[in-house]
Amino acid sequence: MTRNLLLYWSIQPRMNLLQLSVRQTTNTNSYSFPLELRFELENSDEHFARSDKNNDDKLDLQEFQQTGNICFEATAPEFEISDSNDDGFISRPEYTTFFQQKILVCRRMKHDNSLEKIKNFDQDGDRKLQIAEVEEMLERMYKMQVRPNFRRIFERFDAEKDGGLDEIGTNQ
């Protein structure tokens, strides 16, 4: 008997949610095991404290450059810009300002990147995704096959009940 395990995951930072779905497929059966994990995102104070290696409540250039994460890098030019009082260190308030700006930029980039991917599936250019376009997107981007109840789920998100998910790419 052949067994395949597939792991699907998504992270929703605004909701502090990691969603996992494990699918086990054998020659005769397929089982899905959904799992949701809540997690706490690191705020700027926690990020600062983790980066302040010598616990002096300020970051030198080396410590500052270690603060980057998967979303952004902390560079020497950004250190100079963030050091608003020119004392050669980044204080906690200076870091909070830097961190908040970087997180906003990161979220915007992720949002724009997602919108670009989604726009590729808007075949008729009406700024809406019809059910067939969503099905194609799920299949091509995520290798997912929709289930028979997908139409009912789709209709719940179709606020105007016009057969499409609206407002692709508008500024909110």
Side-chain angles (χ1 to χ4, degrees), residues 59-66 74-77 79-80 88-90:
L59 302 179
D60 61 26
L61 176 59
Q62 184 177 6
E63 289 171 320
F64 179 77
Q65 288 178 318
Q66 301 294 319
T75 64
F79 179 88
E80 291 176 22
F89 296 97
I90 302 297

Side-chain angles (χ1 to χ4, degrees), residues 7-13 15-21 35-39 142 144:
L7 175 67
Y8 299 98
W9 60 274
S10 70
I11 297 177
Q12 299 177 18
M15 297 172 53
N16 293 357
L17 178 64
L18 170 64
Q19 294 177 314
L20 298 172
S21 178
L35 174 67
E36 290 188 354
L37 302 173
R38 298 256 172 218
F39 61 94
Y142 303 106
M144 294 175 65

Side-chain angles (χ1 to χ4, degrees), residues 6-158:
L6 296 172
L7 175 67
Y8 299 98
W9 60 274
S10 70
I11 297 177
Q12 299 177 18
R14 288 184 182 170
M15 297 172 53
N16 293 357
L17 178 64
L18 170 64
Q19 294 177 314
L20 298 172
S21 178
V22 178
R23 179 171 293 229
Q24 177 180 338
T25 307
T26 65
N27 293 350
T28 56
N29 296 314
S30 180
Y31 306 95
S32 238
F33 307 97
L35 174 67
E36 290 188 354
L37 302 173
R38 298 256 172 218
F39 61 94
E40 292 300 317
L41 295 177
E42 206 173 37
N43 65 34
S44 63
D45 281 336
E46 293 165 336
H47 208 247
F48 182 94
R50 185 173 46 81
S51 303
D52 184 14
K53 301 297 184 200
N54 60 5
N55 298 315
D56 62 357
D57 210 35
K58 58 187 176 185
L59 302 179
D60 61 26
L61 176 59
Q62 184 177 6
E63 289 171 320
F64 179 77
Q65 288 178 318
Q66 301 294 319
T67 64
N69 62 26
I70 60 171
C71 180
F72 65 84
E73 284 187 76
T75 64
E78 288 171 323
F79 179 88
E80 291 176 22
I81 292 168
S82 298
D83 182 14
S84 58
N85 63 0
D86 294 322
D87 67 352
F89 296 97
I90 302 297
S91 66
R92 194 174 292 265
E94 289 170 331
Y95 186 74
T96 298
T97 301
F98 165 79
F99 184 85
Q100 290 172 343
Q101 290 171 349
K102 284 297 189 175
I103 294 300
L104 287 175
V105 168
C106 181
R107 284 185 180 152
R108 188 71 201 162
M109 287 172 50
K110 287 180 181 178
H111 176 74
D112 291 348
N113 187 24
S114 295
L115 288 178
E116 275 307 307
K117 287 179 181 177
I118 291 170
K119 284 179 187 178
N120 292 333
F121 293 94
D122 182 18
Q123 297 169 354
D124 57 7
D126 65 351
R127 297 175 63 84
K128 297 181 182 186
L129 288 180
Q130 277 71 35
I131 193 164
E133 294 168 332
V134 173
E135 287 174 350
E136 181 183 352
M137 180 180 71
L138 292 172
E139 185 176 323
R140 286 185 36 207
M141 287 179 68
Y142 303 106
K143 308 296 184 220
M144 294 175 65
Q145 295 291 320
V146 298
R147 293 182 179 172
N149 66 342
F150 180 71
R151 179 170 293 282
R152 189 168 27 102
I153 294 167
F154 180 88
E155 288 170 355
R156 279 194 242 157
F157 289 95
D158 181 9

